Amino acid sequence: MQAIMETLFDAAYLITVITLGVLMVKNGRENKLYFLFGCMAVILGAGDAFHLVPRAYALCTSGLENFTEALGIGKLITSITMTVFYVLLYFVWRIRYQVTGKKGLTGTVLGLAALRAALCLLPQNAWTSPEPPLVWGIVRNIPFAALGILMIVLFYKSAKNAGDRSYRHLWLTILLSFAFYIPVVLWADTWPLVGMLMIPKTCAYVWTVLIGYLDMRRGRTA
């Protein structure tokens, strides 16, 4: 039952975010904001597919323990693409609120992203090991969490100051995604049921993509 339900959920998620992303890319060719948001959504779905597709196959066949290497490599790829997702989200913020300058802030975002990517690529992560070290799961997520906190603050303050109703909840979707993700990093190996938090975490990302897509639809019909 777990295999069927999880596979259906993951398939619905991947199809939804990639489809919405492609639509935004296609319809936003003359609007840099929607085009960038669409690229962000496609990268999110495509990156997650490297982990979710092998996981679904493993659940429906001989079990997760027989696909350790494929799942580990998929997690590595997903970790990198999620970092790219937040970098693109930062530039969405700059375009949305017509932000210029702030080279220090841009440097901080790019620096955190580069640090996160570099940490993910270190062999100490032991991505393909049946029992990867928890300490490296924490270390590589420190700059990622810092990047997420920065996005939460930027979107919350900017949407509030601009009276931006379309993006007023975007900060909350980021906050929720991290709130559900961090316990999984810390305790999922000890208490497997904690891994269920990935479901609401995934829903938070779908909400993020929907915010961009619905804003595009409103802009096209206005």
Side-chain angles (χ1 to χ4, degrees):
M1 181 60 72
Q2 177 193 354
I4 296 173
M5 296 304 295
E6 185 172 330
T7 299
L8 289 175
F9 176 82
D10 290 342
Y13 158 65
L14 293 175
I15 291 171
T16 298
V17 296
I18 292 175
T19 300
L20 294 180
V22 169
L23 289 174
M24 280 189 277
V25 169
K26 180 181 178 181
N27 296 317
R29 290 176 180 173
E30 297 180 0
N31 187 307
K32 191 175 181 180
L33 174 66
Y34 301 143
F35 180 82
L36 196 58
F37 216 125
C39 291
M40 195 174 77
V42 172
I43 288 173
L44 171 68
D48 282 354
F50 279 96
H51 172 62
L52 295 179
V53 172
R55 180 177 175 85
Y57 183 78
L59 286 172
C60 295
T61 54
S62 56
L64 298 175
E65 64 279 2
N66 295 310
F67 292 85
T68 302
E69 184 173 352
L71 292 170
I73 293 173
K75 286 182 180 179
L76 168 59
I77 294 172
T78 298
S79 296
I80 300 296
T81 54
M82 283 303 307
T83 307
V84 175
F85 174 89
Y86 279 100
V87 171
L88 293 180
L89 186 59
Y90 167 72
F91 286 102
V92 164
W93 170 78
R94 290 183 66 93
I95 296 170
R96 181 75 178 184
Y97 300 106
Q98 301 178 358
V99 178
T100 58
K102 296 189 179 295
K103 292 182 179 179
L105 179 60
T106 301
T108 299
V109 169
L110 296 179
L112 287 171
L115 178 58
R116 154 77 167 179
L119 289 172
C120 287
L121 292 171
L122 290 176
Q124 289 87 342
N125 289 283
W127 290 102
T128 58
S129 170
E131 296 182 3
L134 174 60
V135 64
W136 277 95
I138 295 172
V139 168
R140 66 176 177 261
N141 277 298
I142 291 174
F144 187 53
L147 187 59
I149 291 170
L150 188 56
M151 292 302 102
I152 291 168
V153 173
L154 292 177
F155 274 99
Y156 175 78
K157 292 177 65 176
S158 296
K160 183 178 181 181
N161 292 338
D164 188 352
R165 291 186 57 81
S166 294
Y167 277 41
R168 69 187 184 279
H169 291 137
L170 200 145
W171 70 272
L172 180 59
T173 71
I174 305 169
L175 176 63
L176 290 173
S177 69
F178 275 94
F180 294 125
Y181 174 64
I182 291 174
V184 174
V185 172
L186 296 176
W187 301 302
D189 289 338
T190 305
W191 297 293
L193 282 177
V194 175
M196 295 292 290
L197 291 176
M198 293 299 284
I199 295 176
K201 176 247 185 187
T202 299
C203 292
Y205 278 116
V206 174
W207 187 9
T208 302
V209 174
L210 278 172
I211 286 174
Y213 177 73
L214 293 175
D215 180 59
M216 182 189 75
R217 288 290 301 272
R218 282 190 290 268
R220 284 167 58 83
T221 57

